[in-house]
Amino acid sequence: MNGPEIQVDFAPELGMFVPPGRRGGPTPLVTDGVSTLGHVIESAGVPLTEVGALVVDGREVTAAHIPAAGESVEVRAVERPQQVPGAPLRFLLDVHLGTLARRLRLLGVDAAYDSADPGDAALATQSAAERRVLLSRDRGLLRRRELWAGAYVYSDRPDDQLRDVLGRFAPELRPWTRCTACNGTLRDARKDEVADLLQGGTQRSYDVFAQCVECDRVYWRGAHHDRLERIVGSALAEFG
């Protein structure tokens, strides 16, 4: 770029996306004179999904603003809880976030996920077609133009990932109402209705069941239930 120079101040929360020299206060940035402020910010390494208000010389502007020489730009982080207008709050997760997808479903949050990895273009297109917020740790994926809405997942630890998403979007939690395998809804099921799908030991030991209306998977309070209860209890205590 060889054009107007501006001063850009990135919020501390965005520091992980920019080089060390751009953290901690305003720094000069040379633009090309024709690119939008949104493009300039993304070129600096920050996905627009993580950007809140853009303030130029004290006034709020949109990402379509064309920077002029001498302007001072404040790039704020997205506000939490973040409002997502235009559709019910639903998520789409990339192939690397399978554990997070299952935990969101455990809490009753609509979370689409495909372990077969349909690819970046297909994920962005699905986000737009179904109006889902795409969750990813891939900055390049979050910069795709066809994306409807997205969010960067800041941790690689499932516990922290779940807290990050719940704290950022504040979805309604309805535990034990979704299939953790396919995201379908669960219904109460009598033992005699699902007996053919159960092993002998399960039939003898349990009496309360639920079944997915989409994939027919059967659920009961088995050996892993205590661990799942802890996940649900922790989420409800902090975000419920």
Side-chain angles (χ1 to χ4, degrees), residues 44-77:
V46 182
L48 289 182
T49 59
E50 306 313 294
V51 173
L54 296 171
V55 180
V56 175
D57 292 339
R59 75 185 192 282
E60 192 167 329
V61 302
T62 70
H65 174 77
I66 306 296
E71 288 184 338
S72 294
V73 179
E74 181 184 354
V75 183
R76 297 177 182 173

Coordinates of all heavy atoms in Angstrom, one line a residue, residues 44-77:
A44 N -4.7 -6.2 8.3 CA -3.9 -6.2 9.5 C -4.0 -7.4 10.3 O -3.2 -7.6 11.3 CB -4.3 -5.0 10.3
G45 N -4.9 -8.3 9.9 CA -5.0 -9.6 10.6 C -6.2 -9.9 11.4 O -6.3 -11.0 12.0
V46 N -7.1 -8.9 11.5 CA -8.3 -9.0 12.4 C -9.5 -9.4 11.6 O -9.9 -8.6 10.8 CB -8.5 -7.7 13.2 CG1 -9.7 -7.9 14.1 CG2 -7.3 -7.3 13.9
P47 N -10.1 -10.6 11.9 CA -11.4 -10.9 11.2 C -12.5 -9.9 11.6 O -12.6 -9.6 12.8 CB -11.7 -12.3 11.7 CG -10.4 -12.8 12.3 CD -9.7 -11.6 12.8
L48 N -13.3 -9.5 10.7 CA -14.3 -8.5 11.0 C -15.4 -9.1 11.9 O -16.1 -8.4 12.6 CB -15.0 -8.0 9.7 CG -14.2 -7.1 8.9 CD1 -15.0 -6.6 7.7 CD2 -13.7 -5.9 9.7
T49 N -15.4 -10.4 12.0 CA -16.4 -11.1 13.0 C -16.0 -10.7 14.4 O -16.9 -10.8 15.3 CB -16.3 -12.6 12.8 OG1 -15.0 -13.1 13.1 CG2 -16.8 -13.0 11.4
E50 N -14.8 -10.3 14.7 CA -14.4 -10.0 16.0 C -14.4 -8.5 16.3 O -14.1 -8.0 17.4 CB -13.0 -10.5 16.3 CG -12.8 -12.0 15.9 CD -13.9 -12.8 16.6 OE1 -14.0 -12.8 17.8 OE2 -14.8 -13.4 15.8
V51 N -14.8 -7.7 15.3 CA -14.8 -6.2 15.5 C -16.2 -5.7 15.9 O -17.2 -6.1 15.3 CB -14.3 -5.6 14.1 CG1 -14.5 -4.1 14.2 CG2 -12.9 -6.0 13.8
G52 N -16.2 -4.8 16.9 CA -17.4 -4.2 17.2 C -17.5 -2.8 16.5 O -17.5 -2.7 15.3
A53 N -17.6 -1.8 17.3 CA -17.7 -0.4 16.7 C -16.4 0.0 16.1 O -15.3 -0.3 16.6 CB -18.1 0.6 17.8
L54 N -16.5 0.8 15.0 CA -15.3 1.4 14.4 C -15.5 2.9 14.6 O -16.5 3.5 14.1 CB -15.3 1.1 12.9 CG -15.0 -0.4 12.6 CD1 -15.2 -0.7 11.1 CD2 -13.6 -0.8 13.0
V55 N -14.6 3.6 15.2 CA -14.7 5.0 15.6 C -13.6 5.8 14.9 O -12.4 5.5 15.1 CB -14.7 5.2 17.1 CG1 -14.8 6.7 17.4 CG2 -15.8 4.4 17.8
V56 N -14.0 6.7 14.0 CA -13.0 7.5 13.3 C -13.1 8.9 13.7 O -14.2 9.6 13.6 CB -13.2 7.4 11.7 CG1 -12.3 8.3 11.0 CG2 -13.0 6.0 11.3
D57 N -12.1 9.5 14.3 CA -12.0 10.8 14.8 C -13.3 11.1 15.7 O -13.9 12.2 15.5 CB -12.0 11.8 13.6 CG -10.6 11.8 12.9 OD1 -9.7 11.3 13.5 OD2 -10.6 12.1 11.7
G58 N -13.6 10.2 16.5 CA -14.7 10.4 17.4 C -16.1 10.0 17.0 O -17.1 10.1 17.7
R59 N -16.3 9.7 15.7 CA -17.6 9.3 15.2 C -17.6 7.9 14.7 O -16.6 7.4 14.1 CB -18.0 10.3 14.1 CG -17.3 10.0 12.7 CD -17.6 11.0 11.7 NE -17.2 10.7 10.3 CZ -15.9 10.8 9.9 NH1 -15.0 11.2 10.7 NH2 -15.6 10.4 8.7
E60 N -18.7 7.2 14.9 CA -18.8 5.8 14.5 C -19.1 5.7 13.0 O -19.9 6.4 12.5 CB -19.9 5.1 15.3 CG -19.9 3.6 15.2 CD -20.8 2.9 16.2 OE1 -20.9 3.4 17.3 OE2 -21.3 1.8 15.9
V61 N -18.3 4.8 12.4 CA -18.5 4.6 10.9 C -18.7 3.1 10.7 O -18.6 2.3 11.6 CB -17.3 5.1 10.1 CG1 -17.0 6.5 10.4 CG2 -16.0 4.2 10.5
T62 N -19.1 2.8 9.4 CA -19.2 1.4 9.0 C -17.9 0.9 8.4 O -17.0 1.6 8.1 CB -20.3 1.2 8.0 OG1 -19.9 1.8 6.8 CG2 -21.6 1.8 8.5
A63 N -17.9 -0.5 8.2 CA -16.7 -1.1 7.6 C -16.5 -0.6 6.2 O -15.4 -0.7 5.6 CB -16.8 -2.6 7.7
A64 N -17.5 0.0 5.6 CA -17.4 0.5 4.2 C -16.7 1.9 4.1 O -16.5 2.3 3.0 CB -18.8 0.6 3.6
H65 N -16.4 2.5 5.2 CA -15.8 3.8 5.2 C -14.4 3.7 4.5 O -13.6 2.7 4.7 CB -15.6 4.2 6.7 CG -14.8 5.5 6.8 ND1 -15.3 6.7 6.5 CD2 -13.5 5.7 7.2 CE1 -14.3 7.6 6.8 NE2 -13.2 7.0 7.2
I66 N -14.1 4.7 3.7 CA -12.8 4.8 3.0 C -11.9 5.7 3.8 O -12.2 6.9 4.0 CB -12.9 5.4 1.6 CG1 -13.9 4.6 0.8 CG2 -11.5 5.3 0.9 CD1 -13.6 3.1 0.6
P67 N -10.8 5.2 4.4 CA -10.0 6.0 5.3 C -9.3 7.2 4.5 O -8.9 7.0 3.4 CB -8.9 5.0 5.8 CG -9.5 3.7 5.6 CD -10.4 3.8 4.4
A68 N -9.2 8.3 5.2 CA -8.5 9.5 4.6 C -7.3 9.8 5.4 O -7.2 9.4 6.6 CB -9.5 10.7 4.6
A69 N -6.4 10.5 4.8 CA -5.1 10.8 5.5 C -5.3 11.5 6.8 O -6.1 12.4 6.9 CB -4.2 11.6 4.5
G70 N -4.6 11.0 7.8 CA -4.6 11.7 9.1 C -5.7 11.2 10.0 O -5.7 11.7 11.2
E71 N -6.6 10.4 9.6 CA -7.7 9.9 10.5 C -7.1 9.0 11.6 O -6.2 8.3 11.4 CB -8.7 9.2 9.6 CG -9.6 10.1 8.8 CD -10.7 9.3 8.0 OE1 -10.6 8.1 7.9 OE2 -11.7 10.0 7.6
S72 N -7.8 9.1 12.7 CA -7.5 8.3 13.9 C -8.6 7.3 14.0 O -9.8 7.7 14.1 CB -7.4 9.1 15.1 OG -6.2 9.9 15.1
V73 N -8.3 6.0 13.9 CA -9.3 4.9 13.9 C -9.2 4.1 15.2 O -8.1 3.6 15.5 CB -9.1 4.0 12.7 CG1 -10.1 2.9 12.7 CG2 -9.2 4.8 11.4
E74 N -10.3 4.0 15.8 CA -10.3 3.1 17.0 C -11.1 1.8 16.6 O -12.3 1.9 16.2 CB -11.0 3.8 18.2 CG -11.1 3.0 19.4 CD -11.9 3.7 20.5 OE1 -12.3 4.9 20.3 OE2 -12.2 3.1 21.6
V75 N -10.5 0.7 16.7 CA -11.1 -0.6 16.4 C -11.5 -1.3 17.7 O -10.6 -1.8 18.4 CB -10.2 -1.5 15.6 CG1 -10.9 -2.7 15.1 CG2 -9.7 -0.7 14.3
R76 N -12.8 -1.3 18.0 CA -13.2 -1.9 19.3 C -13.5 -3.4 19.1 O -13.9 -3.8 18.0 CB -14.4 -1.1 19.8 CG -14.1 0.3 20.2 CD -15.3 1.0 20.6 NE -15.0 2.5 20.9 CZ -16.0 3.4 21.2 NH1 -17.3 3.0 21.3 NH2 -15.6 4.6 21.5
A77 N -13.5 -4.1 20.1 CA -13.9 -5.5 20.1 C -15.4 -5.7 20.1 O -16.1 -4.7 20.6 CB -13.3 -6.3 21.3

